[in-house]
Amino acid sequence: EKDSNPADFICEVAGGMVCGGGLDPNVSYGESHVKTPRELEKLFKSSSYYKPVTIDPNSSDSAMPKSPNNTWTQFKTLLSRGILTNKRNKAYRNSQIVKNIIVGILAGVIFYQQGSLNSSVWNTQTDFPESAGYNVVSILYFAILYSITGNLQAIPMLFQQKLMFVRERESGAYTTLPYWMCNSLVNLPLIIGTHILFTNLTYWLVGLPADPVTVAYMFLNTLFVNLISFYFSQLLAARCSSSQVALAVFPILFMFLSNFAGFTILLDNVQTQWKWAPYVSFPRWAYEGLVFVVFDQKKPENYHTLLEYFGFDDWKAMYSIYILAPYAVLVNLLVLWALMPAKSQVRFFKSKSEDKVVNGRGDQRSDSRSSSLAMNMESFANAGPPSSLASRPTSQHQGRPTDLPTSPLLERVENDTIPEDSEVEPTQPLLKSPLSGDLPIGNPEGRRGSWSVDDFKRNSENIQLATQRGLNVTFSSLNYSVLAPTNPKADQNNGMLHILSEVEGRAASGEMVALMGASGAGKSTLLDILAGRKTLDKTTTLSGTLLFNGLPRSRPIMRRSAYVTQDNVHLASLTVRQTLEFAASLRMESSNKAERQERVLTVAKMLGIDGILGSRVGGELIRGISGGQMKRLSIAVEIISLPELIFLDEPTTGLDSAIAHEVMSAVRNLANFNRTVICTIHQPPPATFRLFDKLLLLANGRTCYYGDIDDAPLYFNKFGYVFDEDRVGSNPAEFVVAVAGGFEEPNLPPDRLCDDYMTSETHTEFQEQLEEYLEGDRNRTGEQNNRSGTKKGTTYPSSLGMQCYTLACRQIVKTAQDKRPLIAGIMRHIIVALFYGSIYSNLGPKDILERCSLCFFTLMFVTMGQQQNIPIIFDERLLFYRERGAKIYGNFSYWLTGGVSVTPLTLVWVALFCTILYPMTGFRRDWESAIFFYIIASMTGLCGLFYCQMLAVLSPSQQSAITLFPATLFFFISFAGYIVQLPSLPNWLSQVPNISFLRWGFQALVINELEDNTYVFPEPATEVLYKAFAEQYGIYGYSKWTSIPILAINMGVFRVLTFLGLRYVRYEKR
């Protein structure tokens, strides 16, 4: 029939929205009933269209389709694409180059000309390396550490590539082998190029041996470390479920490998149970080769003693290359293994129906599409002529018929009386309708079918709302331009590109106005301007008349509006009820909890989501509600304060026609409560299109038509366009958009249609009535328009205390209900604590370096572990932007509660870590030292947390923040006093370590452990020996308690910088 769409009809039949006759001739169904999935299956299997698919259960279970090309062609294509992608990914390439330059210069400056090794490298008095020797082995260890952690930022990028690879492999585009081969090679140029930058800057600034052999060996050795680390990143990205998990695992892998390199734990002092670990640690082989080749080439005084101290005396430099090369190959082969598709777990069983002969089955098919459709309709016995939603008896806004009998099977489903011998699928839930009356099966709880306007109206018929005078929006001669001198369409005189020109229209209370047009017509720009969300600066100009109830836009008036963005941005771990309750606490003035809960139920009923209030919202990694329910939840969140004006940006994007109609029916129900709705929308189905009252059609940023929705097709008849409403599948929405875009015969230019509109009777009538509209608005304004959405003198709907309380509760509930990060954090701290406790167990009196190493790596772990918060912060940033744009709270409230849930977790996790670790080591056995150890570790961990939050706020993207984290963290590591001994720094750098929070944390832990420690420094020379050690590390004369206020100051500085970033750095522009 007219306005019908075969695709929509098929989906409606399968979704239970089209009624037909029954299967059992002995059962009276009345005129018609909604068919169940089982009934539809029987109809299909009894038709001539059914042909059973025979699957051999013993055949290969690989479901991967074969690629049309051979492996070599796939490899060449993927390699070309990879090279082109890397070439165009300037952000990643530039960040890698800048990072390596900064870190290379930083390392070179810190260790400037300390690689000359012109003096003795061993102190025979303290039996410990001299500063000259210690700093050289430190810079070599630093090079190893950086070569490993420098690939941390590649994990998110590699994970995104893996997701695309899985999709393309499953579609048969290519197989695993060519993809693996391509990824093994395509990143090599950037890795080698950036590595050349880092090694050259560091090598020559440090002043290491200048002979070509040593230079080449240094480059080749550390290049293998870089490659192996990159392949490990690929391995984690391939095997982990998300980039967050991979980023959490990477520090554990890093700590394990780096601790057995031979610097932090001397090889001869490795615990018996860990004797095997140095052999599998590739940093050990690389580090041993670097130390040996540098000292063996320079041959400083007592260098043999230093090599013996580290366990590197019996070694040859090339041995390391012989080990690292196959190590890189092995890890890359593990990447190939990780990328291989998992073995299918699908098992095939013979169904009962396969053993039965279905009568009427045949192989003959009709020669024409129309006859096929006729045969298909005939197979629906007693179904009668099918009818679409648009042609059924409905209300004014396409309501659903309410007197439809249901089948006996459906009645049993709704009454939970399914007999044991029933053929209902076991996975189908038993559902009951919470609604009164004979409402059809469509229900937002998840049943088949979708709701119409009448369904939503019935669901909310008992809702009592305060009478609203409404909010009328009138605009005329709206012009908006942006500075774009390079755009060929820009004005040649001033370089301004006109986005909107002389746009006019009106949206009255109780009306739904559709903003439509072809792509680039200016729909979203107009909506943003009307809603006050468009970013205006020196590069933009805006002019024209825009009035709300006859008054210019003001904050009190805009408090009465809501803006529903195109994206659904929610916290996945919350339930629908929790999401709405937190929204009510933030957006409503009332502090009465009962009133807020009542409002939640009211809005949920208006939008038909009251049946899913207990369901989790869900997201990419958490299963939750459907797309249509998610969109209605987004609308519910924004209108929880029951605003009088609602803006919606493409609310049906990504939804099928049935769900889109359901969403817009819910919006129509809102408009019926005297709300004004302005909505951008793409070519909706006819039933959805007719839910609107007015249409504003744009073409090239100009008004092509404004008027009643039903008059739009007729308006274009005078220009030679013909809309055949009797043609099957005709859609007035598609027709008007095609006309405005110049895609419909006679294909008049859009600008001509806009010029004709400006001289048309429709435009003239609107202009004549405009003053009448505005006069009526001004007369009704009075006290109503001056009434603010918030209390007089306030900026936001709720108080600062309520904002902070709500945001804090939301953070806590979100964290508590998402168990995976909690469990992962607990397990990570337990595993690392046991690992450190086992390799540093029962430290002896001569294990001074090991004690310092444990202090340093404890701080490294609690700091680097905070990097997993960066993706979490970016996941929440969109929600923050949306809520800040809605003016429900400000930067200060969000900043105050930014770490309210993560801070306690950090304290608990560090306590768990220290409780396991401290007793296992040979550290001092007194309560004061143990508690102080926990305090410093906790404060350093919080410094790392607040530092990550600061980076996330200041960075434009997650990739940038993850890139900056290791690069900037190496600044704090370099000046911590462990890698380089502070007294050896040049005078002009002597004050720089004071701004490293790791320096104060490391210094406090070392003093706490070694000062007055008669076990390590025996009496009577305790003070003398400690002084010699402390002076060498630059910590003599300091009190361990000094670090506590300094760490607190660092925490405060990071928090203040975070607030300034929230206040002044904005990456969201509309």
Side-chain angles (χ1 to χ4, degrees):
E1 298 181 2
K2 70 174 184 178
D3 289 353
S4 62
N5 186 328
D8 289 342
F9 170 72
I10 293 171
C11 291
E12 290 165 1
V13 170
M17 293 176 284
V18 174
C19 304
L23 291 175
D24 190 346
N26 298 320
V27 177
S28 174
Y29 294 94
E31 289 186 7
S32 59
H33 80 283
V34 178
K35 290 182 172 58
T36 66
R38 181 65 68 184
E39 290 174 322
L40 291 173
E41 181 189 21
K42 286 185 175 181
L43 286 171
F44 171 65
K45 288 188 174 182
S46 63
S47 71
S48 61
Y49 295 93
Y50 175 67
K51 292 186 68 176
V53 178
T54 304
I55 300 177
D56 183 5
N58 300 319
S59 64
S60 172
D61 55 10
S62 175
M64 294 293 177
K66 291 185 177 180
S67 173
N69 300 311
N70 58 39
T71 301
W72 176 246
T73 303
Q74 297 172 37
F75 169 71
K76 289 191 298 181
T77 305
L78 289 172
L79 187 62
S80 300
R81 186 179 73 173
I83 293 173
L84 185 61
T85 301
N86 287 351
K87 182 180 179 181
R88 293 181 176 177
N89 192 358
K90 295 182 179 179
Y92 178 74
R93 183 177 68 249
N94 294 341
S95 65
Q96 286 286 74
I97 293 173
V98 171
K99 180 188 69 175
N100 281 274
I101 292 176
I102 292 175
V103 177
I105 293 176
L106 174 65
V109 169
I110 294 173
F111 296 95
Y112 185 69
Q113 295 303 311
Q114 295 192 26
S116 56
L117 297 176
N118 294 324
S119 59
S120 176
V121 296
W122 188 260
N123 189 325
T124 55
Q125 181 181 356
T126 60
D127 203 26
F128 196 76
E130 289 281 6
S131 295
Y134 183 86
N135 286 341
V136 171
V137 296
S138 295
I139 183 58
L140 297 177
Y141 185 65
F142 178 88
I144 297 294
L145 292 184
Y146 177 70
S147 297
I148 297 174
T149 58
N151 291 291
L152 178 69
Q153 74 177 93
I155 289 179
M157 179 191 70
L158 293 171
F159 189 80
Q160 291 300 320
Q161 290 178 356
K162 185 198 75 170
L163 296 179
M164 183 173 66
F165 154 69
V166 171
R167 290 195 297 266
E168 292 178 337
R169 181 182 61 186
E170 290 177 350
S171 68
Y174 51 81
T175 57
T176 305
L177 182 61
Y179 175 80
W180 169 77
M181 294 166 58
C182 169
N183 264 22
S184 300
L185 299 176
V186 74
N187 295 293
L188 285 180
L190 182 61
I191 293 175
I192 295 174
T194 54
H195 190 71
I196 291 174
L197 282 175
F198 170 74
T199 52
N200 275 278
L201 286 170
T202 305
Y203 196 93
W204 300 114
L205 286 173
V206 173
L208 293 171
D211 67 290
V213 175
T214 307
V215 174
Y217 182 86
M218 172 82 172
F219 170 77
L220 186 61
N221 184 303
T222 52
L223 177 61
F224 273 119
V225 175
N226 207 334
L227 284 175
I228 296 172
S229 175
F230 181 79
Y231 293 149
F232 266 118
S233 297
Q234 284 186 321
L235 181 63
L236 290 177
R239 294 305 298 174
C240 294
S241 59
S242 68
S243 60
Q244 293 181 15
V245 175
L247 289 172
V249 173
F250 190 91
I252 301 177
L253 182 65
F254 164 75
M255 295 295 179
F256 171 80
L257 295 172
S258 58
N259 270 279
F260 291 109
F263 180 76
T264 58
I265 304 175
L266 301 179
L267 296 181
D268 294 337
N269 294 344
V270 175
Q271 300 289 335
T272 304
Q273 65 271 24
W274 290 103
K275 286 292 184 182
W276 57 271
Y279 294 97
V280 299
S281 171
F282 71 90
R284 174 264 174 101
W285 304 111
Y287 183 57
E288 187 168 2
L290 290 178
V291 172
F292 181 85
V293 75
V294 170
F295 283 87
D296 187 64
Q297 199 281 333
K298 294 291 291 188
K299 292 182 173 55
E301 184 181 352
N302 295 325
Y303 84 97
H304 281 295
T305 307
L306 183 140
L307 291 178
E308 290 177 5
Y309 176 77
F310 284 100
F312 299 159
D313 52 316
D314 188 18
W315 193 247
K316 297 296 181 182
M318 289 306 298
Y319 291 172
S320 297
I321 302 299
Y322 299 151
I323 295 174
L324 291 173
Y327 203 115
V329 174
L330 176 61
V331 177
N332 202 16
L333 290 174
L334 289 176
V335 175
L336 175 61
W337 165 79
L339 290 173
M340 296 300 290
K343 186 176 181 181
S344 175
Q345 300 299 316
V346 176
R347 297 293 180 267
F348 297 102
F349 301 95
K350 248 184 189 179
S351 65
K352 295 179 180 179
S353 59
E354 291 181 17
D355 297 330
K356 299 177 182 179
V357 177
V358 182
N359 294 328
R361 184 183 306 166
D363 296 332
Q364 297 181 356
R365 295 174 179 263
S366 174
D367 292 334
S368 67
R369 183 172 180 176
S370 59
S371 61
S372 294
L373 184 61
M375 290 175 65
N376 195 26
M377 293 301 102
E378 288 177 2
S379 67
F380 286 83
N382 304 321
S387 60
S388 66
L389 282 174
S391 61
R392 272 183 262 134
T394 62
S395 68
Q396 180 182 357
H397 293 295
Q398 303 302 313
R400 176 192 299 275
T402 59
D403 56 348
L404 301 179
T406 60
S407 69
L409 176 59
L410 294 178
E411 290 176 357
R412 294 202 301 271
V413 169
E414 291 189 329
N415 295 325
D416 288 356
T417 58
I418 301 295
E420 294 183 358
D421 58 348
S422 174
E423 292 185 329
V424 176
E425 299 177 10
T427 57
Q428 175 136 354
L430 303 180
L431 301 167
K432 288 185 177 181
S433 173
L435 310 175
S436 58
D438 298 324
L439 190 66
I441 291 196
N443 186 289
E445 279 190 53
R447 276 188 293 276
R448 299 169 296 109
S450 63
W451 281 19
S452 68
V453 177
D454 286 348
D455 299 335
F456 286 103
K457 181 178 180 181
R458 187 179 318 162
N459 197 44
S460 55
E461 62 185 0
N462 295 324
I463 294 176
Q464 300 294 329
L465 295 181
T467 303
Q468 299 289 346
R469 298 285 300 277
L471 195 59
N472 300 332
V473 182
T474 307
F475 50 96
S476 64
S477 302
L478 275 185
N479 298 276
Y480 177 74
S481 304
V482 297
L483 183 62
T486 59
N487 193 304
K489 296 183 180 180
D491 193 314
Q492 297 298 321
N493 297 324
N494 53 19
M496 300 300 291
L497 178 64
H498 301 290
I499 308 298
L500 298 177
S501 300
E502 301 296 321
V503 178
E504 65 182 20
R506 174 179 168 86
S509 57
E511 286 185 345
M512 283 179 62
V513 178
L515 306 183
M516 297 181 64
S519 296
K523 306 182 295 295
S524 295
T525 299
L526 176 60
L527 187 74
D528 288 340
I529 290 174
L530 297 179
R533 296 295 183 96
K534 178 58 68 176
T535 303
L536 300 176
D537 52 30
K538 296 180 180 179
T539 64
T540 61
T541 59
L542 177 63
S543 62
T545 302
L546 176 58
L547 301 174
F548 299 83
N549 276 3
L551 297 177
R553 189 200 334 262
S554 63
R555 183 179 290 270
I557 287 179
M558 297 313 295
R559 287 278 180 268
R560 298 154 59 187
S561 69
Y563 187 99
V564 182
T565 59
Q566 183 174 345
D567 299 325
N568 298 315
V569 184
H570 303 289
L571 298 178
S573 61
L574 300 186
T575 65
V576 174
R577 182 187 298 276
Q578 290 168 342
T579 301
L580 293 177
E581 286 179 347
F582 286 129
S585 298
L586 290 171
R587 297 169 187 261
M588 292 177 59
E589 293 183 24
S590 174
S591 59
N592 188 297
K593 184 176 181 180
E595 184 176 341
R596 294 198 303 268
Q597 291 177 340
E598 182 181 355
R599 179 66 59 83
V600 166
L601 284 176
T602 297
V603 172
K605 284 181 175 292
M606 292 172 67
L607 293 170
I609 56 175
D610 51 313
I612 59 167
L613 289 175
S615 302
R616 184 174 292 193
V617 174
E620 291 184 1
L621 300 177
I622 302 176
R623 188 176 181 86
I625 59 180
S626 68
Q629 294 165 346
M630 185 84 74
K631 179 59 68 175
R632 280 182 279 146
L633 175 61
S634 298
I635 298 172
V637 166
E638 296 298 334
I639 69 162
I640 199 73
S641 60
L642 297 180
E644 299 172 54
L645 174 61
I646 304 170
F647 300 97
L648 297 102
D649 186 15
E650 311 245 1
T652 60
T653 298
L655 306 178
D656 62 55
S657 58
I659 302 301
H661 181 76
E662 183 177 77
V663 169
M664 296 313 300
S665 296
V667 175
R668 176 72 255 179
N669 189 47
L670 291 174
N672 293 341
F673 282 93
N674 206 35
R675 264 64 186 174
T676 306
V677 177
I678 303 177
C679 171
T680 62
I681 191 169
H682 281 300
Q683 304 170 338
T688 305
F689 184 65
R690 291 194 175 95
L691 294 176
F692 290 90
D693 300 288
K694 295 291 179 61
L695 168 66
L696 174 55
L697 187 63
L698 297 177
N700 294 337
R702 302 176 60 191
T703 305
C704 190
Y705 170 80
Y706 169 72
D708 291 338
I709 203 86
D710 295 330
D711 296 339
L714 297 176
Y715 168 79
F716 291 104
N717 284 349
K718 62 182 179 180
F719 301 112
Y721 293 97
V722 178
F723 175 66
D724 185 5
E725 62 180 7
D726 295 325
R727 179 174 58 87
V728 174
S730 61
N731 186 341
E734 294 180 357
F735 171 75
V736 296
V737 171
V739 169
F743 309 122
E744 183 82 9
E745 294 288 345
N747 305 107
L748 296 179
D751 286 336
R752 178 182 169 183
L753 292 175
C754 296
D755 292 337
D756 290 337
Y757 171 78
M758 297 303 291
T759 59
S760 67
E761 295 181 1
T762 305
H763 167 71
T764 303
E765 182 180 351
F766 174 76
Q767 290 294 324
E768 291 175 352
Q769 295 178 345
L770 183 60
E771 188 57 37
E772 181 180 344
Y773 289 147
L774 296 179
E775 185 65 26
D777 291 343
R778 295 188 189 101
N779 292 335
R780 61 183 290 186
T781 297
E783 184 179 346
Q784 175 70 19
N785 259 349
N786 291 324
R787 179 173 55 83
S788 169
T790 59
K791 296 179 181 179
K792 187 175 181 180
T794 62
T795 306
Y796 303 105
S798 56
S799 64
L800 176 63
M802 176 58 75
Q803 295 171 32
C804 293
Y805 175 77
T806 303
L807 291 174
C809 290
R810 188 171 71 178
Q811 282 286 333
I812 293 171
V813 171
K814 169 218 167 192
T815 304
Q817 292 185 176
D818 193 359
K819 298 292 190 299
R820 289 177 298 178
L822 292 175
I823 296 174
I826 292 173
M827 295 303 299
R828 186 176 75 251
H829 283 77
I830 291 176
I831 291 172
V832 175
L834 292 173
F835 168 66
Y836 278 169
S838 62
I839 65 176
Y840 291 102
S841 62
N842 302 319
L843 295 174
K846 293 185 178 182
D847 298 331
I848 299 176
L849 180 61
E850 284 77 1
R851 293 174 187 272
C852 295
S853 298
L854 179 55
C855 293
F856 176 75
F857 276 97
T858 294
L859 301 181
M860 282 283 292
F861 171 71
V862 298
T863 302
M864 290 193 66
Q866 303 300 335
Q867 69 184 349
Q868 65 177 336
N869 289 297
I870 292 177
I872 297 175
I873 295 170
F874 272 92
D875 289 342
E876 296 179 0
R877 192 158 81 168
L878 288 177
L879 179 62
F880 165 66
Y881 282 160
R882 189 191 73 178
E883 293 177 334
R884 182 177 65 179
K887 300 293 189 300
I888 61 175
Y889 60 79
N891 300 310
F892 187 68
S893 304
Y894 181 77
W895 173 75
L896 280 179
T897 58
V900 71
S901 63
V902 188
T903 299
L905 280 180
T906 299
L907 297 176
V908 171
W909 285 343
V910 174
L912 177 64
F913 176 81
C914 294
T915 302
I916 298 172
L917 171 67
Y918 201 90
M920 295 179 66
T921 65
F923 276 1
R924 303 174 77 156
R925 295 293 194 265
D926 61 88
W927 282 105
E928 179 186 326
S929 299
I931 294 174
F932 186 84
F933 184 91
Y934 164 71
I935 292 174
I936 295 299
S938 298
M939 295 187 72
T940 306
L942 290 177
C943 283
L945 169 65
F946 298 149
Y947 183 68
C948 287
Q949 289 181 336
M950 182 193 72
L951 285 180
V953 169
L954 297 178
S955 301
S957 66
Q958 177 179 319
Q959 186 71 40
S960 301
I962 294 176
T963 301
L964 286 172
F965 179 72
T968 53
L969 184 63
F970 268 107
F971 170 82
F972 298 111
I973 293 173
S974 302
F975 292 104
Y978 177 76
I979 299 292
V980 58
Q981 295 175 350
L982 300 183
S984 63
L985 291 173
N987 291 332
W988 60 279
L989 283 177
S990 59
Q991 298 303 315
V992 177
N994 293 332
I995 61 177
S996 171
F997 68 90
L998 285 176
R999 176 263 172 101
W1000 297 106
F1002 176 67
Q1003 175 178 294
L1005 292 186
V1006 172
I1007 295 175
N1008 179 63
E1009 175 59 24
L1010 296 178
E1011 188 178 34
D1012 299 327
N1013 191 331
T1014 57
Y1015 177 69
V1016 177
F1017 302 117
E1019 294 179 339
T1022 301
E1023 181 62 27
V1024 175
L1025 294 175
Y1026 171 74
K1027 180 180 179 182
F1029 165 81
E1031 287 179 344
Q1032 187 173 353
Y1033 273 84
I1035 62 176
Y1036 185 72
Y1038 286 95
S1039 169
K1040 65 180 183 180
W1041 300 103
T1042 305
S1043 296
I1044 293 181
I1046 295 178
L1047 287 173
I1049 291 173
N1050 275 269
M1051 293 162 56
V1053 169
F1054 293 146
R1055 291 293 292 158
V1056 170
L1057 291 175
T1058 302
F1059 175 74
L1060 294 177
L1062 289 172
R1063 177 66 178 84
Y1064 296 106
V1065 180
R1066 301 194 178 194
Y1067 293 107
E1068 184 192 39
K1069 291 188 177 182
R1070 299 186 68 88

